[in-house]
Amino acid sequence: MSTVEEFLTSKEELEIVQAIRQAERNTSGEIRVHIEKSSEISHYNRTLEVFRMLKMFNTKQQNAVLIYVAVQDHKFVIYGDKGIDAVVSTNFWQATKNVMQQQFKLGNFKQGIINGVLKAGEELKTHFPWQINDEDELSNEISKG
């Protein structure tokens, strides 16, 4: 599987969007997924570029999370904004990474992303619980590069 278009079906993408909505019901945090074929720069640096491109740094509490997947490179990065980094331990995203990696190794990419999204929402809930006046500040749609 070498192209972004072949990575997930439309139905699978819809299931991931539903998982994002479900995860965000419990937290004021914002979660996005970005999928692209590969990156010519380090995957971490590319994740930062995408984070900026999607204007994810504009959330009120700076509590947005980007799950970046480079399909052909077999790499993924989970990046949280500085509001998250200010209140969590250095290994905060390890559990999310583990649930994703477990499914990815089995070739279950959709389920890996869904598990990652739901786990990220769970992790965020502790530090950024949902509030009555919360707004959905970012799109829930999957972006592609």
Side-chain angles (χ1 to χ4, degrees), residues 73-110:
D73 300 341
H74 303 282
K75 299 284 185 185
F76 72 97
V77 176
I78 304 165
Y79 179 78
D81 204 355
K82 58 186 168 185
I84 297 169
D85 285 344
V87 297
V88 301
S89 64
T90 53
N91 65 346
F92 183 73
W93 295 115
Q94 192 61 45
T96 303
K97 177 187 169 203
N98 290 345
V99 299
M100 290 180 69
Q101 204 164 38
Q102 184 179 38
Q103 290 298 318
F104 283 3
K105 285 180 180 177
L106 298 172
N108 301 330
F109 302 111
K110 175 208 71 169

Side-chain angles (χ1 to χ4, degrees), residues 4 23 41 45 50 55 63 65 70 72 93 117 121 134 138 142:
V4 175
I41 61 175
N45 287 339
V50 172
K55 298 182 177 10
N63 60 353
V65 175
Q72 186 173 316
W93 295 115
V117 164
D134 275 344
L138 300 173
I142 296 171

Side-chain angles (χ1 to χ4, degrees), residues 33-91:
V33 173
H34 181 83
I35 300 170
E36 60 188 23
K37 184 176 179 178
S38 65
S39 177
E40 294 186 12
I41 61 175
S42 84
H43 295 94
Y44 179 80
N45 287 339
R46 179 61 182 145
T47 302
L48 294 178
E49 283 182 356
V50 172
F51 196 88
R52 283 188 216 99
M53 178 185 76
L54 297 174
K55 298 182 177 10
M56 293 181 68
F57 51 82
N58 283 342
T59 61
K60 283 183 225 164
Q61 295 182 37
Q62 295 179 311
N63 60 353
V65 175
L66 176 61
I67 296 175
Y68 167 87
V69 180
V71 176
Q72 186 173 316
D73 300 341
H74 303 282
K75 299 284 185 185
F76 72 97
V77 176
I78 304 165
Y79 179 78
D81 204 355
K82 58 186 168 185
I84 297 169
D85 285 344
V87 297
V88 301
S89 64
T90 53
N91 65 346

Side-chain angles (χ1 to χ4, degrees), residues 12-34:
E12 289 172 327
E13 287 185 20
L14 185 57
E15 290 177 57
I16 291 168
V17 170
Q18 288 299 103
I20 292 169
R21 289 185 181 126
Q22 180 181 339
E24 290 181 355
R25 282 188 198 118
N26 298 314
T27 178
S28 62
E30 295 287 331
I31 302 168
R32 296 276 326 247
V33 173
H34 181 83

